Amino acid sequence: MSALIAPEGLPRPAVSADDAVRLAAEFYGVGTAQVKELGSQQDRNFRLTAADGVRQLLKISNPAFTRTEIDAQNAAMECLAAAGFAAPLPQLSVNGEPVESTVMGGQKHCLRLLSYVEGAPVIDRPHLGPALRSALGDWLGRASTALAGLEHPGLDRSLQWDLRHGEEVVAALVPFVRAEWKQDLLLRTLERISSTLAPLKDQLPVQAVHGDLTDDNIVCASGPRGSVELTGIIDFSDAMYSWRVAELAVGCSALFHHDPVNPLTVLPMIRAFHARAPLSDAEVRALWPLIVLRGAVLAVSGEHQVTIDAGNDYASDALDREWAMFEVPARYDWNAAEASIRGALGMELPSPPDTSAWLPLVPGLPVPAPVDFSWGSEEFNGSWLDGAAEEERIFAEAAGAVLTRFGEARLTRAAVNSAEEPANTAIAVELRAPVPAAVHTPFAGTLSAAPDGTVRLEGAEAVVLLSGVQLEAGPGPVDAGARLGTANQLTVWVQLPGAYSAAETPPRFVKASEFPGYAAGFLDPSALFGLPPATPAADEALLERRTNAYDALQSHYYEAPPRIERGWKEHLISTSGRHYLDMVNNVTSLGHGHPVVAETAARQWRRLNTNSRFHYASVAELSERLLAKVPDSFDTVLLVNSGSEAVELALRLAKAFTGREDVLCVHESYHGWSLGADAVSTSVSDNPRALETRPDWVHIADAPNAYRGRHRGEGAGAAYAADVVRQLQRLHDAGTPVGTFIAEPRNGNAGAIGTPPGYLEQVYAAVRGQGGVNICDEVQMGYGRLGRHFWGFEEHGVVPDIITMAKAMGNGHPLGAVITRKEIAAALAGEGSFFSSGGGSTLSSRIGVTVLDVIEKEQLQENADAVGQLLSQGFRELMDRHALIGAVHGMGLYQGVEFVRDRQTLEPAPEETRAICERMLELGVIVLPTGDRQNILKVKPPLCFTEESARFFLAMLDRVLAEGW
């Protein structure tokens, strides 16, 4: 066994909690009210809490460590404390010493009383978001910079945690690993680590390091408004001299067990470290092998520690975690990892080899036609969800030879309702030919076959791998242009040397986020077939173009938005092929890409599109269909092209009919962006100056919010209505009687907040009693979205005078309407006839009829009711488990989940809500905040929303709330 490792290992000192209390009193005069042991691999740590609440840490070091080493640890603590970090500091004993010693079990142990650094270890947080990983990297870089000048003889140690000795440690301890397959993987990986690091070791700077700056030894606390703040660094037991880059490798290794399916989770940490302590080229080349080596050391050391210290629950509980810290980076493509790191740091990548002299791979075959499985394919109409079967259908229908595309993110390889980014981006191409064709070598090289049958041609500058070839040539050297065999279904990779060993076949698909790293080690094989290389879309450049040309007043969702170019039903699809569950698109009421609406629009465009002053059937049909959906008191329809235009028209109608200019609206409402619609919109989330910039003719009533408003609970509706009645009377007595009252039946913009019972009934009556009219804005609530009701006003048993609608009417096509009585519409005649170019056009009218047809045929209102009830029940169950949920609003497929920091004070939680939405995006869900306090999740998916999608949404929300986003 290595001299670094004692045969008996480093079992923790045999010290009990009672011993700790005695030692603290004897050496430090500390009286202890409470004592709790904290975990450690090889020392004993006890948190002591005095009667006055002051907490300190008693540390009894392993007897293998000398006083000089302990003094070096103290020096490292003081160094980082001087650099601004909260770190434990030694307290002087009753003898005035920072370090004391005692003999236990015949061995001398050093002990210290340290100041206690408050905070919970980062390891306790299941999820570490990008901001937190960046913060950790920043701390690692700052700490490394601070420690660079520290010199102490006690740092010159021989520790098994020093990665300079990591290969020796793994080789010595691998026999303690019980599973044979794990031993095999460790030994094979160790060979590669050694060969990679050998030429780099002398180029890696050595300095003082903490040695264990991991999620276990950096502590954090909940900051103001739900943020996470790093609070301190603890446990300096491994302070030593080592490679500087090893400090970063140790920190990176600790991230994998938090997110084992995403090896590149380390990039934000590396980028932040580099910003503080720039990495050299040699350090970048060594980093991934060192990350793997750190995991290997942990894996074998954990198995060894459990063997020699069977009662160490801390060590045994960590075994699975430590194996993940090794296996995740070990199995990832190391070249792709290094390329991804270089890309993240803005470093140049090696230039690819010149392939212009390579010969065709299948010289007797005509140039194949490219086949498209991406988001832009016109072959698909939701059929991509059949996956490989859909690919085979397209292949089978091809007239001749076809070739898939390198770097293409295939829709056919992505699933709906998945929390993980799909591995759907091709690093190989596939040839499909009608009949087998002869395959030849593009360059001279050495031929071999992998165990899975993949043919490998290794040349001086690249390796070509072929799957599906009926091999005729034997292994060994081959000339350029030599015949290999035949194939009509051929998969081809072109990789640079070193990406994968000869015994391994690379994946056909990787995640889109990983593709740039792989693309540095894999070339596009298209040139071997006479086709130009693929040119992936530059999404970052597109966002910059948007920012430059499309005014910032027209903002976009999310700080780093995915590029969305397609949709299907209740899913939005990015150009990387990922399917995001769409929880916000009440405009696309039927769902994205609805084939019936698409065909209707195409057919009408081919026939005619003109305005409603011409005579055609669809405008009459749509108007009749709308009147059939409302009470008999309504008898006329006016068609417009948006919700804003509908509200604008409704306000003009009401003013003309009543002869009064004054309008009463409610707080926290939104009705549109046109001049009149904006005037009656009071939401400060849309316009921060809304309340101070309303014109004199607009009057605002309290939002009838029975959850957090002036009146709450039972009877709130009558109380709010009484306030309005008094307000109407005051305005009347002041000579400014209200002519129009406008409100949604539920406050949609505020988060589907319910209007309490009795409110609309009494307010409508009071307005009419003074000669006014009532506008019900159904732009968001109407068209079956509430499930139990087609219109929101039906929930309250009232009938307004004017109804406005839009959004859902056209399933994304701009279409709106105003429904009222002819006597009200006639009042506007004195100002001329009304006309909206697009509102009642042939196209808009035909789409409007089609949308109503589909709602009825597909029973989407009934679906909204059933799935809405599932959501409501699910939200209530989440509310029982998560105190952040203060209330659940709405019904059907318009709901709102309100987050509060305290259910008694109802303090809003807007920062938490934003963080939850960002985390939900990572998990494949698009959901956004709403309301003036921005603390409510807006839940208004397309009406085709399924129970499966609802359960997925609830599961992801539960996950985010449980992990602390």
Side-chain angles (χ1 to χ4, degrees), residues 81 141 190 210 243 330 363 389 403 422 441 454 570 612 627 634 656 712 755 769 802 830 836 843 858 914:
L190 184 59
H210 176 282
W243 289 319
L403 189 74
T441 57
T454 302
E570 70 267 38
S612 59
L627 289 174
F634 294 97
R712 303 182 184 181
T755 302
I802 303 172
S836 174
L843 178 64
E858 297 184 5
R914 281 196 295 273

Side-chain angles (χ1 to χ4, degrees), residues 606-626:
R606 287 192 295 267
R607 289 182 178 179
L608 172 70
N609 191 28
T610 189
N611 69 70
S612 59
R613 287 180 173 172
F614 288 93
H615 180 46
Y616 47 85
S618 57
V619 70
E621 185 177 355
L622 176 58
S623 300
E624 291 169 345
R625 293 286 294 277
L626 289 172

Side-chain angles (χ1 to χ4, degrees), residues 239-595:
M240 58 186 163
Y241 290 130
S242 186
W243 289 319
R244 181 184 75 142
V245 70
E247 191 89 281
L248 176 58
V250 167
C252 288
S253 179
L255 299 184
F256 296 117
H257 71 94
H258 292 276
D259 195 6
V261 299
N262 293 310
L264 297 184
T265 188
V266 298
L267 291 183
M269 175 179 277
I270 296 170
R271 189 184 298 114
F273 181 97
H274 181 73
R276 291 282 186 178
L279 297 164
S280 69
D281 184 77
E283 287 176 308
V284 171
R285 290 164 62 195
L287 180 54
W288 198 263
L290 287 174
I291 290 171
V292 178
L293 180 58
R294 165 66 174 186
V297 170
L298 286 173
V300 297
S301 298
E303 297 269 10
H304 178 236
Q305 190 72 20
V306 169
T307 301
I308 55 94
D309 191 6
N312 191 338
D313 294 338
Y314 177 82
S316 59
D317 291 345
L319 288 178
D320 288 344
R321 179 173 75 241
E322 289 166 344
W323 182 254
M325 292 159 73
F326 162 68
E327 187 177 22
V328 171
R331 292 193 182 278
Y332 194 65
D333 183 298
W334 296 15
N335 283 15
E338 182 184 330
S340 296
I341 292 168
R342 289 183 177 277
L345 303 185
M347 294 181 169
E348 289 188 6
L349 295 170
S351 299
D354 181 10
T355 63
S356 59
W358 291 7
L359 302 176
L361 189 64
V362 190
L365 189 72
V367 175
V371 63
D372 186 357
F373 293 134
S374 74
W375 63 267
S377 174
E378 298 299 332
E379 294 282 345
F380 298 140
N381 195 15
S383 56
W384 63 82
L385 294 174
D386 292 334
E390 177 66 2
E391 293 181 6
E392 292 302 322
R393 180 191 68 80
I394 293 173
F395 283 140
E397 293 177 357
V402 294
L403 189 74
T404 62
R405 300 190 295 186
F406 177 79
E408 178 181 77
R410 296 191 189 179
L411 290 191
T412 47
R413 301 284 166 162
V416 299
N417 296 338
S418 173
E420 304 298 338
E421 179 187 4
N424 68 329
T425 305
I427 61 171
V429 299
E430 297 169 57
L431 172 74
R432 294 296 180 97
V435 296
V439 180
H440 294 249
T441 57
F443 50 73
T446 302
L447 194 66
S448 63
D452 64 359
T454 302
V455 175
R456 181 183 181 92
L457 174 65
E458 189 160 358
E461 295 182 305
V463 179
V464 172
L465 294 100
L466 306 170
S467 177
V469 64
Q470 298 297 313
L471 192 61
E472 299 170 357
V478 291
D479 295 328
R483 180 182 169 111
L484 295 178
T486 60
N488 66 332
Q489 296 186 15
L490 186 65
T491 301
V492 184
W493 297 260
V494 178
Q495 69 179 60
L496 302 182
Y500 275 78
S501 71
E504 294 178 300
T505 299
R508 294 170 60 199
F509 301 96
V510 298
K511 297 175 182 177
S513 61
E514 298 174 352
F515 178 75
Y518 276 93
F522 288 83
L523 305 182
D524 186 349
S526 299
L528 296 175
F529 299 92
L531 288 171
T535 53
D539 289 351
E540 293 181 3
L542 179 64
L543 186 59
E544 183 179 353
R545 286 168 50 201
R546 172 189 170 120
T547 302
N548 291 337
Y550 190 65
D551 196 85
L553 280 172
Q554 304 161 103
S555 60
H556 58 74
Y557 298 137
Y558 301 109
E559 293 181 11
R563 180 180 168 189
I564 303 296
E565 295 281 5
R566 194 160 193 156
W568 182 249
K569 295 186 176 179
E570 70 267 38
H571 290 90
L572 293 167
I573 303 168
S574 73
T575 51
S576 70
R578 186 164 190 187
H579 292 58
Y580 291 90
L581 186 59
D582 179 6
M583 301 303 299
V584 300
N585 259 299
N586 61 331
V587 177
T588 316
S589 54
L590 310 183
H592 303 285
H594 200 289

Side-chain angles (χ1 to χ4, degrees), residues 71-94:
D71 286 340
Q73 294 174 27
N74 289 347
M77 295 177 196
E78 291 163 354
C79 177
L80 289 192
F85 292 98
L89 294 173
Q91 311 298 295
L92 296 180
S93 70
V94 294

